[in-house]
């Protein structure tokens, strides 16, 4: 078993007085694959948003590697969220959407290019970096994009 990576200690969350999470205690160990399963409205997304730092708990603590991360903003937490719904930047092309997090982390430019190209290749979208995000589907209108050579 890996070391304790994320810990929720007695975490509750209320939205306008309505209790969404009620004193949750949970460990997530390093290398562990964890699935949250439960009926709609049971608080799965609330828990993920708390861990990512998009919302704050009403009570309790969230720890990462043993340290309370209450004051750490989402972009400084080493936590990534793949959203259920569309969460791309519409003003950035495919390449810049993928590169966004790496730029925030101040990754060197040549490494960003390498990593973005590798990701595009991984998902069979090599050469599509300059397209706008709404120009990837074969059914989308208006392509080729102005940026595509
Ligand atoms: N921003 C919000 N404001 C007020 N109430 C909210 C808000 N977000 C969630 N809730 C309420 O908190 C409870 C938990 O919602 P949450 O979205 O975390 O559930 P979920 O398990 O992710 O559901 P689903 O399976 O439908 O995605 C629900 O009662 C929901 O109505
Ligand atoms: Mg949800």
């Amino acid at each position: 078993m890996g070391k304790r990576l994320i810990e929720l200690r007695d975490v509750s969350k209320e939205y306008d007085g309505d209790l969404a999470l009620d004193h949750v205690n949970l460990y997530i160990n390093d290398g562990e694959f964890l699935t949250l399963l439960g009926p709609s409205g049971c608080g799965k997304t609330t828990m993920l948003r708390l861990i990512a730092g998009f919302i704050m708990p009403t009570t309790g603590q969230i720890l990462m590697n043993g340290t309370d991360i209450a004051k750490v903003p989402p972009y400084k937490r080493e936590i990534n969220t793949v959203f259920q719904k569309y969460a791309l930047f519409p003003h950035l092309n495919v390449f810049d959407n993928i590169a966004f997090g790496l730029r925030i982390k101040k990754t060197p430019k040549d490494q960003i290019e390498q990593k973005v190209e590798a990701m595009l290749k991984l998902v069979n979208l090599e050469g599509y970096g300059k397209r706008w995000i709404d120009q990837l589907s074969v059914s989308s209108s208006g392509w080729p994009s102005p940026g595509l050579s």
Side-chain angles (χ1 to χ4, degrees):
M1 193 172 72
K3 69 181 167 80
R4 202 170 283 178
L5 192 67
I6 293 171
E7 184 174 346
L8 271 66
R9 274 193 200 158
D10 232 15
V11 169
S12 298
K13 176 66 186 173
E14 287 179 11
Y15 294 106
D16 302 322
D18 289 335
L19 199 56
L21 286 186
D22 187 5
H23 296 279
V24 173
N25 287 283
L26 173 83
Y27 308 139
I28 305 174
N29 294 311
D30 195 7
E32 187 175 27
F33 186 97
L34 182 82
T35 305
L36 296 175
L37 182 68
S40 180
C42 77
K44 303 177 295 292
T45 298
T46 297
M47 194 185 289
L48 295 178
R49 291 174 74 209
L50 285 164
I51 294 171
F54 299 132
I55 53 173
M56 296 300 288
T58 309
T59 65
Q61 282 181 305
I62 299 170
L63 295 91
M64 190 156 181
N65 288 317
T67 306
D68 189 331
I69 52 172
K71 293 202 168 74
V72 182
Y75 66 93
K76 286 197 176 157
R77 296 187 186 192
E78 296 216 336
I79 291 162
N80 288 302
T81 308
V82 179
F83 294 96
Q84 197 171 340
K85 291 187 185 144
Y86 187 68
L88 295 166
F89 299 110
H91 64 295
L92 299 179
N93 66 18
V94 171
F95 184 101
D96 292 332
N97 263 281
I98 301 169
F100 187 84
L102 297 168
R103 289 196 172 120
I104 296 279
K105 282 174 77 176
K106 303 207 185 307
T107 304
K109 203 175 167 214
D110 55 333
Q111 274 186 41
I112 293 181
E113 272 170 27
Q114 231 173 40
K115 287 187 176 185
V116 172
E117 292 307 332
M119 286 304 115
L120 286 169
K121 194 171 177 187
L122 183 73
V123 296
N124 286 328
L125 285 174
E126 225 174 345
Y128 289 77
K130 286 183 180 169
R131 290 202 183 181
W132 298 112
I133 52 161
D134 58 355
Q135 290 176 329
L136 288 175
S137 166
V138 284
S139 60
S140 62
S141 58
W143 64 330
S145 95
L148 193 72
S149 51

